[in-house]
Amino acid sequence: MTKREQNTDVVAVSATPKRTYWERNNATDGYLFKRDFGRIFGGIFTVVLLFGLCFLILQPLLHQFANSIMSRDDLFDPTVITLPRYPTWVNYNLAVYLMDYWGSLLRSLGITLAVSVLQIAVCTLVAYGFARFDFPFKRFWFACAMLTIIVPPHILRAALFLNFAFFDIFGIFTLTTGDSLNLLNTLQGYLVLSATAMGLRNGLYIFMLRQYFRNMPKELEESAWVDGCNKLRTFAQIMLPDAVPIVISCFLFAFVWQWTDSFYSGMFLRGFNVMSLQMSGLGDMFISHYVVAAQGGDALSLTPPTALVQAIISTGVLIGIAPIVLIYLFAQRFFVESIGQSGIKM
């Protein structure tokens, strides 16, 4: 085709009148409109749904933050609902003082990090054993591990109290020292509990890690065994590096739950003033502080207003969970990656 003929075809095409949207829709028997309507409606529905979910999640935090920066006049002003008229940071200064925030933060970081690392290390070994090896009563022991997820820890409060108040291993301590050990309100007691994979939600970590190891190809282990690796070296050098995403996710879960736990912390860490106990007891600490500050006044001034107590509690909760929020912002990709790779199935 010559260049003149090509130009003639281009002119003929450009001279063809363009059909309107409805003409094209009629030519497709209404399919074009149905497709575009479905896309637009689906997009609007998705936006509304995501907005609603985000609002449900963020609204309590926004409400807590609004309360935390309200002055005393705003708290008792019925016209102030959400946005304070006279914002102030006095509540934050008082909460930091009452909670001994920086000291509690450092103690909580050290204890939570040590306990979380120990729990995940033990749970990873247990999960690998359940996933790759056969041993007597394997299903029974795995069912027992799953029971730790189902049974609330509060049901075990009396048993835990007695076991650690009179801690002994086959009577060895009583035989050698004449008395058992009291591991309540000690970090050693909680470390012993974590080292036996019986800590906070350890059954869930075992389940998640077991499912991940089950889905890994057995050929990796077999090739390592052929090359002369023993089972422990195969686990450490072949299996564990591939399981880094799920291990980090379980560690983050352990860190977050340990940070906000008050059950085990109240039993083993009461003397350490960790962040979870400081947050749960902030209301009582503020009432005591208020009563001491109001000494010499009338009887009504000795009772702090409920709104003021709630504002201080809201402030303490926000500064208490701030490290957890920062950790999640930097580590959220590990959650997504682990969920995509774990392939939870029985």
Side-chain angles (χ1 to χ4, degrees):
M1 182 180 293
T2 63
K3 187 174 182 180
R4 179 177 296 177
E5 292 174 343
Q6 292 178 352
N7 294 335
T8 303
D9 291 341
V10 171
V11 172
V13 171
S14 60
T16 302
K18 299 183 70 173
R19 293 187 298 175
T20 64
Y21 176 84
W22 296 110
E23 289 176 346
R24 289 185 287 118
N25 180 64
N26 293 333
T28 59
D29 294 331
Y31 171 76
L32 183 62
F33 174 76
K34 293 178 182 178
R35 184 196 65 181
D36 293 343
F37 177 79
R39 289 178 178 176
I40 295 173
F41 179 79
I44 295 175
F45 178 79
T46 302
V47 170
V48 172
L49 180 62
L50 291 177
F51 176 81
L53 292 175
C54 293
F55 179 78
L56 289 175
I57 296 172
L58 296 178
Q59 191 272 339
L61 292 177
L62 296 176
H63 179 71
Q64 298 272 50
F65 177 73
N67 281 344
S68 68
I69 61 175
M70 284 188 181
S71 63
R72 190 185 183 96
D73 295 334
D74 289 335
L75 290 172
F76 299 103
D77 189 347
T79 62
V80 176
I81 300 176
T82 302
L83 297 178
R85 185 174 286 112
Y86 306 106
T88 179
W89 298 102
V90 173
N91 293 336
Y92 282 90
N93 295 332
L94 182 56
V96 168
Y97 167 74
L98 293 177
M99 297 173 63
D100 183 24
Y101 181 74
W102 299 112
S104 300
L105 179 66
L106 293 177
R107 284 190 295 271
S108 298
L109 284 174
I111 294 174
T112 303
L113 184 63
V115 171
S116 300
V117 169
L118 181 59
Q119 288 181 355
I120 298 306
V122 174
C123 289
T124 303
L125 288 172
V126 173
Y128 181 70
F130 277 125
R132 291 305 197 184
F133 301 109
D134 291 324
F135 49 87
F137 305 107
K138 174 181 175 180
R139 293 183 180 272
F140 170 77
W141 294 120
F142 184 72
C144 292
M146 294 302 98
L147 279 177
T148 61
I149 305 175
I150 302 171
V151 177
H154 299 79
I155 296 178
L156 307 176
R157 180 188 293 270
L160 287 173
F161 181 87
L162 293 175
N163 283 332
F164 285 94
F166 307 98
F167 185 79
D168 204 345
I169 301 177
F170 303 113
I172 296 177
F173 294 115
T174 303
L175 182 63
T176 55
T177 63
D179 196 3
S180 58
L181 297 179
N182 183 5
L183 296 183
L184 294 177
N185 296 325
T186 63
L187 180 59
Q188 293 85 347
Y190 200 18
L191 293 178
V192 169
L193 193 69
S194 301
T196 54
M198 285 297 295
L200 180 63
R201 294 183 174 89
N202 284 183
L204 178 61
Y205 311 145
I206 293 173
F207 175 75
M208 295 175 62
L209 291 163
R210 169 185 175 267
Q211 300 307 116
Y212 189 93
F213 285 126
R214 286 187 64 188
N215 294 331
M216 296 183 69
K218 292 185 177 181
E219 290 76 12
L220 292 174
E221 292 174 305
E222 294 173 353
S223 61
W225 295 339
V226 170
D227 291 337
C229 292
N230 57 28
K231 295 180 179 179
L232 184 59
R233 185 179 177 185
T234 300
F235 166 74
Q237 296 186 356
I238 305 298
M239 307 298 287
L240 191 58
D242 287 339
V244 167
I246 188 67
V247 170
I248 293 180
S249 293
C250 290
F251 169 78
L252 293 175
F253 280 127
F255 191 93
V256 170
W257 284 329
Q258 177 60 39
W259 186 271
T260 58
D261 170 65
S262 59
F263 177 78
Y264 289 104
S265 298
M267 183 174 292
F268 295 102
L269 306 175
R270 186 171 295 277
F272 292 87
N273 293 330
V274 294
M275 191 64 67
S276 59
L277 298 180
Q278 297 293 77
M279 286 190 291
S280 62
L282 181 59
D284 294 334
M285 288 189 289
F286 172 70
I287 293 175
S288 300
H289 172 79
Y290 188 92
V291 169
V292 172
Q295 290 291 340
D298 55 8
L300 293 177
S301 65
L302 296 179
T303 303
T306 303
L308 191 57
V309 176
Q310 292 301 320
I312 296 298
I313 293 176
S314 298
T315 306
V317 169
L318 287 176
I319 63 177
I321 66 174
I324 301 301
V325 176
L326 293 177
I327 291 175
Y328 175 76
L329 291 177
F330 287 102
Q332 59 178 326
R333 68 183 185 91
F334 291 105
F335 286 102
V336 178
E337 186 176 354
S338 65
I339 292 172
Q341 293 183 6
S342 59
I344 300 298
K345 65 181 181 180
M346 298 303 292

